[in-house]
Amino acid sequence: MKNILTLLSGLIFGLGLILSGMTNPAKVIGFLDITGLWDPSLIFVMIGAISIAFFGFKLVKNKSQTVFDEPIHLPGKAHISKELVIGSLLFGAGWALAGFCPGPALVALGAGYKKAFIFVIALIVGMYVHDHLFKACKKTNLH
Amino acid sequence: MHFSINWLDFTPGASLIGGMLIGLAASILVIFRGKVAGISGIVAGLMETGSLSQGHHRWRVMFLIGLVGSSFVYQLFAPLPVINIEASKSTLIIAGLLVGFGTRMGSGCTSGHGICGLSRLSTRSLIATISFMLAGFIACYLFLHTI
């Protein structure tokens, strides 16, 4: 049951991305291009999503386990680091270049777009380089 | 520099409803699975090995099957909206590498920080969201209007 609900969550997430227009990189770039002909739609996606998820997260706020007895894992909220800011800046730059962030790229990949496939492969390589080479390298330098 | 709105492509209704579906999906995942719907973290977690919690990979695979399969399900009800990828292949590679590396270094992307984090009123996610939005605006300006 919990696996079906997880699959359903991924499915609804994707349907929301498609309906909202965010799977179209040209539309995302239309939002990021504030000095061009600006399309503010992305703000409405965020307002819609947060207006619902706010209550979802509120519901689990004081709970440590789900109804399926699994721990509820929520990351910390306060820690601000150099990595957080620099990483987010790099992400934002890449986001603007292609108009893709990870979710919409995976949906477009599922729809059979070859260019989305190229982006997703590079995305996975970038993640791997950070988590398995860059971070490991930093760890050895610290010792 | 001037400022004007693209009324033709502006879709407040569909974007709001689509956004609410995304919020619903994030709520289902945290309520029934105890996990944050951060796509970059979900994907990167698949590459982790070693001593991991039970079901570490399982829930990620289930979520991603739903996400990747969503265009198929959408097409059962309506034609898929246009997906216009203007970037060249080399631009897509550079962009993908930046997004992959950056989201891991910054511990999240538009979904994890922008939607889930802001819904939880996380200061950390607010800083991340401001950072990637700002970088997005600046990179877009440089890329489209100066180069």
Side-chain angles (χ1 to χ4, degrees):
Chain A
M1 187 62 189
K2 62 183 183 187
N3 283 323
I4 292 171
L5 283 164
T6 307
L7 185 129
L8 202 68
S9 169
L11 176 64
I12 296 171
F13 200 104
L15 293 176
L17 283 174
I18 297 168
L19 187 65
S20 68
M22 294 303 108
T23 48
N24 182 10
K27 191 168 177 69
V28 173
I29 290 171
F31 168 77
L32 292 174
D33 185 18
I34 37 171
T35 62
L37 207 53
W38 194 50
D39 176 359
S41 303
L42 192 141
I43 293 174
F44 285 73
V45 182
M46 300 217 36
I47 293 171
I50 292 169
S51 69
I52 301 290
F54 173 78
F55 293 102
F57 282 103
K58 206 170 179 181
L59 218 60
V60 300
K61 205 177 173 185
N62 298 313
K63 291 195 176 117
S64 58
Q65 280 193 320
T66 66
V67 287
F68 300 107
D69 292 331
E70 281 186 316
I72 293 176
H73 175 76
L74 296 174
K77 294 181 188 178
H79 183 65
I80 315 286
S81 64
K82 206 170 59 191
E83 283 79 14
L84 179 81
V85 176
I86 296 172
S88 297
L89 290 173
L90 292 174
F91 160 47
W95 186 34
L97 285 185
F100 266 145
C101 50
L106 287 168
V107 176
L109 169 74
Y113 285 82
K114 221 182 264 171
K115 279 183 159 183
F117 180 73
I118 295 170
F119 179 88
V120 170
I121 294 295
L123 173 84
I124 291 170
V125 171
M127 288 177 163
Y128 188 87
V129 168
H130 179 272
D131 288 359
H132 300 269
L133 306 175
F134 179 77
K135 239 167 100 180
C137 195
K138 253 176 97 179
K139 253 184 210 159
T140 25
N141 284 342
L142 284 173
H143 285 301
Chain B
M1 202 186 282
H2 69 288
F3 185 84
S4 49
I5 292 201
N6 182 354
W7 293 107
L8 207 66
D9 291 331
F10 184 38
T11 52
S15 288
L16 194 71
I17 295 166
M20 289 170 89
L21 285 177
I22 296 169
L24 174 68
S27 300
I28 292 173
L29 195 67
V30 78
I31 291 168
F32 294 106
R33 206 77 208 229
K35 301 289 193 290
V36 172
I39 312 298
S40 57
I42 292 175
V43 173
L46 281 181
M47 291 185 276
E48 282 172 43
T49 49
S51 54
L52 299 166
S53 62
Q54 207 191 354
H56 175 88
H57 291 108
R58 167 89 43 95
W59 76 270
R60 295 166 195 273
V61 170
M62 296 311 289
F63 183 91
L64 291 174
I65 290 173
L67 185 69
V68 174
S70 61
S71 64
F72 175 77
V73 175
Y74 192 95
Q75 285 176 88
L76 298 176
F77 303 99
L80 201 65
V82 88
I83 295 180
N84 185 6
I85 311 168
E86 284 166 355
S88 68
K89 282 176 190 167
S90 47
T91 304
L92 284 164
I93 292 171
I94 297 165
L97 290 171
L98 280 170
V99 173
F101 191 92
T103 52
R104 290 315 294 153
M105 189 182 220
S107 313
C109 56
T110 14
S111 51
H113 281 312
I115 290 166
C116 297
L118 292 188
S119 297
R120 297 172 57 217
L121 310 178
S122 153
T123 320
R124 182 174 151 75
S125 289
L126 179 65
I127 299 291
T129 305
I130 291 170
S131 303
F132 67 67
M133 287 272 181
L134 209 63
F137 291 139
I138 294 168
C140 209
Y141 176 75
L142 294 175
F143 198 57
L144 290 179
H145 302 288
T146 60
I147 300 172

